[in-house]
């Protein structure tokens, strides 16, 4: 039986899609903010691979501030020193460590809002003090405001107060990155409320009072390094909690002798990626112990979904046919 089609007049307005909350990234970089899971047994290269990603991020000036939650920072300090992490931004894994990171990012948001307001007030001052006539015709509210800000002295004369300057070289709301290393089985990966918030809202953390380009929030990129993929997060046999796995944007994994682990991964991301394609990508990527396969669940282009050891794309025929990377826009 063939159904009939009846059109209706509602649902025709197109939503605004200009706000993506994404950071600007280089051509072959993965989207950010990201929620990246790096899964591999001991000595397979989790930290090494993550460091390579962050070295490139440093070259691209992608992040302004790094946070780390780990119990092994002191022993691995030299390994991460290229990030120039402030030691106040390194936290021992506890139930509230993620909340502390979110609080710090929200403070960055508040500081940016104050800076934006200061810039507006300074520009308003410049506009209203172009000459002596405009100063003398200024209303009392503006006059008192500019005196309080120090832009005018008590006699109404302009001072030498410089314009507001942002605290970093790049003038933008803070772009942050959080690394969680060696926290498997800790309370930080238990039922901590901050973890749930991070899993669901990492792109939306610290909403801005007004948009900045395509961003309406500061957001934060998150990297979780773990020896085990699945598990509840409690005890030594735990793993990445389900909330994080379901919201991951990038998955990086290494050689694993357990077929059940790979089967679990296929089961959980099979709705987004064909199982046969995933198996074939794994076969091409994982040949030696330290090889890894990156699966980008939200790639910029289908041709950039799979990577071997970060710097080699594994491109399937259908993705190659649909690739728009180098096609000129009409």
């Amino acid at each position: 039986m063939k159904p009939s089609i009846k059109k209706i007049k509602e649902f025709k307005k197109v939503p605004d899609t200009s706000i993506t909350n994404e950071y600007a990234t280089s051509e072959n970089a993965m989207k950010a903010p990201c929620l990246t899971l790096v899964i591999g047994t001991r000595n397979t290269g989790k930290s090494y691979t993550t460091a390579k990603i962050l070295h490139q991020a440093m070259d691209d000036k992608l992040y302004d501030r790094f946070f780390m939650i780990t119990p092994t920072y002191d022993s691995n300090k030299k390994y991460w020193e290229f990030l120039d992490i402030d030691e106040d931004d390194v936290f021992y894994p506890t139930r509230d460590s993620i909340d502390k990171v979110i609080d710090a990012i929200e403070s960055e948001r508040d500081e940016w809002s104050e800076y934006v307001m200061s810039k507006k007030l300074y520009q308003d001052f410049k506009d209203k003090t172009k000459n002596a006539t405009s100063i003398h015709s200024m209303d009392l509210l503006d006059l008192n405001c500019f005196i309080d800000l120090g832009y005018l002295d008590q006699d109404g004369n302009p001072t030498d107060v410089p314009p507001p300057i942002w605290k970093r070289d790049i003038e933008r709301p803070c772009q942050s990155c959080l690394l969680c290393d060696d926290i498997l089985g800790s309370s930080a990966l238990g039922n901590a409320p901050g973890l749930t918030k991070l899993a669901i809202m990492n792109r939306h953390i610290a909403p801005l009072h007004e948009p900045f380009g395509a961003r309406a929030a500061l957001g934060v990129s998150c990297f979780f390094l773990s020896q085990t993929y699945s598990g509840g997060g409690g005890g030594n046999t735990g793993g990445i909690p389900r909330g994080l796995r379901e919201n991951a944007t990038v998955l990086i994994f290494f050689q694993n002798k357990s077929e059940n682990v790979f089967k679990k991964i296929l089961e959980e991301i099979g709705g987004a990626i064909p199982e046969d394609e995933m198996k074939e990508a794994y076969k091409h990527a994982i040949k030696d112990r330290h090889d890894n396969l990156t699966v980008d669940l939200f790639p910029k282009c289908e041709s950039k979904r799979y990577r071997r050891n970060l710097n080699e794309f594994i491109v399937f025929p259908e993705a190659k046919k649909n690739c728009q990377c180098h096609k000129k826009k009409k």
Side-chain angles (χ1 to χ4, degrees), residues 227-238:
Q227 292 185 34
T228 310
Y229 176 67
S230 62
N236 294 328
T237 58

Side-chain angles (χ1 to χ4, degrees), residues 146-162:
F146 295 145
I147 289 174
D148 289 342
L149 290 169
Y151 296 158
L152 297 174
D153 63 23
Q154 293 298 322
D155 297 322
N157 299 311
T159 63
D160 293 327
V161 174

